[in-house]
Amino acid sequence: MSQAANTGVQEIPAPVAAAAPRTGLGTRSLPRWAPFGFAAVALVLGVGTGMAAGWESRTQWGLFSALLFVVLSYVATSVVENRRQAKNQLATSLVWVCFLLAVAPLASLLWTTVSRGAERLDVYFLTHSMAGVLGSEASGGVYHALIGTLEQVGLATLIAAPIGMLTAIYLVEYGKGALAKAVTFFVDVMTGIPSIVAGLFILSIMLMTKTDPSGLMGALALTILMIPVVVRSTEEMLKLVPNELREASLALGVPKWRTILKVVLPTALGGITTGVMLAIARIAGETAPIMLLVFGSQLINTNPFSGAQSSLPFYIWEQYKVGTEQSYDRAWAAALVLIAFVMILNLVARGIARWKAPKH
């Protein structure tokens, strides 16, 4: 019998050193700059192949370079590391290629619009109309179209934003049963309505009531297009508000309408504002309703309730239809103004969202 057994003390075995974990990922790895090297090599090979094969389209060069980048990344990672890392690199390469394919047309569009529009865009262009200006003349401006766009989009927003927000509040906070399902169904249907259909609907009302064309009629058609976007975006933002906030307010005896007004809406205000701005951007570029209901005008008309008006999309189409070099320059400059208008709206929306966001 051992001494430990005689004394009644339990003998504790000595700790065994833990074995080093096996990762199975291999010991070699590519440097961090390897993807950039693959991209450079693929670009050189793609451009060289395109020039040697006589490909005139640079899009073909880019697509072939992207394919080479994916193949090089996968093969090099398989050789240096292992197949598991190669599959991961393949997925990463495909994500980056898809991202670049999505961004490239947008970047090309912005570059073309800015480079062509900046040549004609100046203070004179923004402060003069096309009254008495021939298509072959280099003078004329976009002031009358800018005024029309601001007034028509402003009227549509004043009508559509409250209706859309109240509809979304009903669907999220109160809506149950057949009525809520019917409202949701018609909102989904309205989301896919073409702009020309909205214009024809308002035009039929104008013909029945013998109403003359005006900026208000165009704004009503834009309202039909804007409402479903506001409803959907506001509805999603309200659903993101935690129910705990509603329950805490109701537990304190606050009425439901006040809970919505003071708790739910301020919490979701940032997303709601962004949704409204997206809806404005959606209608700011519509041309068909303006052609049907506003008729377009080369004169300055600051009264949206009487007389024909123009708008930036209608002005762009009108100048492009003229077909002269001077009218093309004016069309590109107006397109740049329209893009700047939408961009300013988004910056204002972000500022309002940060200002009105609840402080934690």
Side-chain angles (χ1 to χ4, degrees):
M1 186 177 294
S2 64
Q3 184 178 357
N6 294 332
T7 58
V9 178
Q10 185 178 3
E11 186 175 345
I12 301 176
V16 180
R22 300 179 60 186
T23 59
L25 298 180
T27 57
R28 296 181 300 173
S29 61
L30 292 170
R32 292 185 177 181
W33 50 265
F36 300 99
F38 297 150
V41 173
L43 183 61
V44 171
L45 293 177
V47 173
T49 304
M51 296 178 64
W55 296 343
E56 297 181 358
S57 175
R58 294 184 179 180
T59 303
Q60 294 176 319
W61 299 3
L63 293 176
F64 188 68
S65 299
L67 179 61
L68 288 177
F69 169 71
V70 174
V71 173
L72 287 175
S73 300
Y74 179 77
V75 172
T77 307
S78 299
V79 173
V80 176
E81 298 184 7
N82 52 55
R83 297 184 64 87
R84 178 179 178 183
Q85 288 293 342
K87 292 179 181 179
N88 178 70
Q89 184 62 41
L90 176 63
T92 305
S93 301
L94 290 175
V95 169
W96 276 106
V97 168
C98 293
F99 169 75
L100 292 177
L101 290 177
V103 171
L106 176 61
S108 176
L109 173 63
L110 289 176
W111 172 257
T112 304
T113 305
V114 172
S115 60
R116 293 289 301 272
E119 299 177 358
R120 185 66 180 81
L121 184 61
D122 52 19
V123 177
Y124 176 86
F125 183 75
L126 295 175
T127 55
H128 287 74
S129 68
M130 291 296 296
V133 179
L134 300 178
S136 58
E137 297 180 3
S139 58
V142 76
Y143 180 74
H144 62 299
L146 184 59
I147 292 297
T149 294
L150 291 174
E151 291 181 347
Q152 294 158 23
V153 172
L155 287 173
T157 304
L158 289 177
I159 300 173
I163 295 176
M165 292 175 61
L166 291 174
T167 303
I169 291 173
Y170 166 76
L171 292 176
V172 176
E173 304 294 338
Y174 298 97
K176 294 180 180 179
L179 180 59
K181 293 180 180 179
V183 172
T184 302
F185 172 76
F186 282 111
V187 168
D188 292 337
V189 172
M190 290 178 62
T191 304
I193 290 180
S195 59
I196 189 67
V197 175
L200 289 173
F201 173 72
I202 300 298
L203 180 61
S204 63
I205 297 178
M206 290 174 57
L207 295 176
M208 288 188 296
T209 58
K210 297 181 180 180
T211 305
D212 296 329
S214 64
L216 177 62
M217 297 296 104
L220 292 178
L222 298 180
T223 300
I224 297 175
L225 302 174
M226 186 176 179
I227 286 178
V229 181
V230 177
V231 172
R232 274 286 164 255
S233 59
T234 304
E235 185 180 2
E236 294 302 322
M237 291 302 105
L238 294 178
K239 289 179 179 179
L240 293 177
V241 178
N243 286 327
E244 290 77 5
L245 296 178
R246 298 180 177 88
E247 295 171 355
S249 178
L250 295 174
L252 295 174
V254 180
K256 188 170 185 177
W257 69 268
R258 195 171 183 86
T259 298
I260 297 172
L261 186 63
K262 295 296 184 179
V263 177
V264 178
L265 289 180
T267 304
L269 183 59
I272 294 174
T273 306
T274 303
V276 173
M277 293 300 106
L278 290 176
I280 293 176
R282 158 80 168 83
I283 66 173
E286 292 294 343
T287 308
I290 307 303
M291 296 173 61
L292 288 174
L293 308 172
V294 188
F295 277 19
S297 174
Q298 295 185 348
L299 304 177
I300 299 174
N301 180 13
T302 58
N303 184 9
F305 301 100
S306 177
Q309 273 190 325
S310 185
S311 68
L312 288 174
F314 183 85
Y315 179 88
I316 296 170
W317 172 81
E318 186 179 45
Q319 293 302 312
Y320 183 80
K321 186 179 65 173
V322 173
T324 63
E325 188 66 28
Q326 294 78 9
S327 65
Y328 288 156
D329 293 339
R330 287 191 290 264
W332 281 110
L336 181 57
V337 173
L338 182 59
I339 291 176
F341 172 70
V342 175
M343 186 179 298
I344 291 173
L345 285 178
N346 281 275
L347 292 176
V348 171
R350 290 179 179 272
I352 295 176
R354 290 186 179 183
W355 177 41
K356 291 295 185 178
K359 304 299 186 295
H360 297 286

